Amino acid sequence: GARTPAPAGPGGAADTGPWKVASASATASTTLSEPPRRTQENRTRTTVLGLPSSPMEKSAASTEPQGPRPVLGRESVQVPDDQDFRSFRSECETEVGWNLTYSKAGVSVWVQAMEMDRTLHKIKCRMECRDVPAETLYDVLHDIEYRKKWDSNVIETFDIARLTVNADVGYYSWRCPKPLKNRDVITLRSWLPMGTDYIIMNYSVKHPKYPPRKDLVRAVSIQTGYLIQSTGPKSCVITYLAQVDPKGSLPKWVVNKSSQFLAPKAMKKMYKACVKYPEWKQKHQPHFKPWLHPEQSPLPSLALSELSVQHADSLENIDESAVAESREDRVGGAGGEGSDDDTSLT
């Protein structure tokens, strides 16, 4: 579900797409005001993953420097550890260095342009969900079959293999605003429940059986993900953070449209999907939730050594900076988002 596109990155992915990415390095100097709450299950899971379960244990078990490992700097594929999740959460919560571009009806959008490379933008969306429990939203983001019902931007999405009890690798392709070319991505996704809060995040990897396709532009998720925070028994707040290299110099209208129109619309569409999810799930394998029960996963296991880090500079660069917005999209504002018809959710 949270495979990678996000609610509105420059690619227009409806909450799932490589537009969800966040730089862990930007939070190197930020400390969490409140450490993630842990449950016994979380402690067990961290131990199963071979990850230290406390900062003290970490310093004793490892000589690597403290501070977040930037995903961009990694030369080998690794499953994120507690420190990576903390860094991601911290960046979701801070507003320093972010420009608020949209705020209406419980949805806010921030944009941060990277100074070194103007094609790399970070986008952050936050939405209040008054009638949706945090655990329902977490299920919706994971449920790949349900995503095919509500995400009108999805072209194709599937899970490829399992890496650990809380990490897998998968494929996602999505429609971009016309007349841009459609994109796809292969990502390593990992997730972590923290008491009543949840994190799902991903970054791009290379899989030998799924090379770039000629009919799609392979994008790069530097880091994308969601922070879901419970605010009550039937309410929560979701923050979506994405930094993606869409492989191509995007025209300014795409970036503006993403933050002003596509991101809020995608968030609202996701909210509607969450409201209808419990009823849908009752009719579609109600007890099948491998993201909560790893023993249910039908995916084959894959060794991390089979994957490699996807660097943007190894992919073909598509310059679409001069592409003009099509007239019908400019007038109608559809922007590749599809209609608001929700009949597919019933």
Side-chain angles (χ1 to χ4, degrees):
R3 178 44 62 200
T4 174
D15 153 71
T16 179
W19 309 113
K20 312 165 180 191
V21 186
S23 161
S25 61
T27 61
S29 61
T30 309
T31 55
L32 280 181
S33 56
E34 175 189 1
R37 295 189 291 278
R38 285 186 170 281
T39 60
Q40 181 61 44
E41 176 198 3
N42 292 337
R43 282 195 292 272
T44 305
R45 172 167 291 177
T46 328
T47 306
V48 168
L49 292 172
L51 305 175
S53 58
S54 73
M56 289 182 61
E57 195 175 331
K58 182 174 184 69
S59 57
S62 161
T63 56
E64 66 177 317
Q66 296 302 301
R69 272 192 311 264
V71 175
L72 281 173
R74 294 181 175 171
E75 292 305 318
S76 61
V77 174
Q78 300 162 32
V79 173
D81 61 17
D82 284 7
Q83 193 172 330
D84 295 312
F85 281 106
R86 280 196 297 270
S87 294
F88 179 80
R89 178 180 184 135
S90 178
E91 189 159 16
C92 282
E93 292 177 338
T94 186
E95 294 182 16
V96 177
W98 290 85
N99 298 319
L100 182 67
T101 60
Y102 179 98
S103 183
K104 188 177 177 182
V107 178
S108 300
V109 181
W110 294 263
V111 172
Q112 183 182 56
M114 310 299 286
E115 292 181 14
M116 298 294 290
D117 183 346
R118 288 181 299 116
T119 66
L120 286 183
H121 287 263
K122 289 194 216 176
I123 188 167
K124 177 157 57 177
C125 311
R126 186 173 296 149
M127 176 174 62
E128 301 170 12
C129 303
R130 294 180 182 169
D131 309 306
V132 176
E135 55 267 28
T136 298
L137 187 39
Y138 185 63
D139 287 350
V140 167
L141 290 174
H142 271 290
D143 198 321
I144 197 168
E145 293 307 316
Y146 190 56
R147 175 169 296 280
K148 295 171 185 175
K149 297 287 185 184
W150 69 267
D151 182 357
S152 58
N153 285 311
V154 66
I155 298 173
E156 186 179 13
T157 182
F158 53 86
D159 298 328
I160 297 171
R162 171 173 50 167
L163 300 170
T164 67
V165 292
N166 72 330
D168 62 15
V169 61
Y171 175 87
Y172 182 92
S173 59
W174 70 100
R175 297 178 185 88
C176 291
K178 295 175 183 177
L180 301 181
K181 294 184 178 180
N182 293 334
R183 260 73 175 172
D184 72 350
V185 70
I186 302 281
T187 59
L188 185 158
R189 176 182 59 172
S190 54
W191 53 92
L192 184 68
M194 302 172 296
T196 57
D197 298 346
Y198 306 86
I199 289 177
I200 307 174
M201 60 186 188
N202 72 68
Y203 67 93
S204 281
V205 293
K206 286 196 280 192
H207 189 293
K209 293 184 180 177
Y210 299 94
R213 291 164 41 171
K214 285 190 168 54
D215 58 328
L216 296 166
V217 176
R218 176 63 50 92
V220 178
S221 167
I222 300 164
Q223 188 175 337
T224 300
Y226 299 92
L227 168 65
I228 305 166
Q229 296 170 292
S230 177
T231 55
K234 293 185 178 179
S235 63
C236 64
V237 172
I238 179 169
T239 303
Y240 164 77
L241 181 61
Q243 184 185 344
V244 174
D245 185 342
K247 287 318 294 175
S249 301
L250 292 165
K252 191 172 182 180
W253 66 262
V254 173
V255 179
N256 290 339
K257 188 165 191 171
S258 295
S259 59
Q260 297 292 332
F261 178 75
L262 297 179
K265 185 170 182 179
M267 278 294 208
K268 291 168 188 172
K269 182 178 290 186
M270 181 170 63
Y271 172 75
K272 288 182 182 178
C274 289
V275 171
K276 298 190 176 189
Y277 181 70
E279 183 182 356
W280 180 90
K281 187 61 175 171
Q282 277 301 314
K283 304 171 186 173
H284 301 83
Q285 295 184 284
H287 302 296
F288 181 71
K289 296 184 178 182
W291 52 93
L292 296 179
H293 312 290
E295 68 279 3
Q296 293 180 346
S297 176
L299 297 175
S301 293
L302 183 72
L304 282 174
S305 57
E306 295 290 309
L307 304 170
S308 54
V309 175
Q310 177 68 75
H311 292 294
D313 55 12
S314 68
L315 294 167
E316 178 187 4
N317 208 52
I318 309 294
D319 187 353
E320 295 176 301
S321 57
V323 172
E325 187 173 8
S326 65
R327 185 175 180 279
E328 65 264 30
D329 279 345
R330 199 164 55 242
V331 176
E337 273 292 299
S339 72
D340 279 328
D341 181 14
D342 294 324
T343 53
S344 61
L345 300 182
T346 54

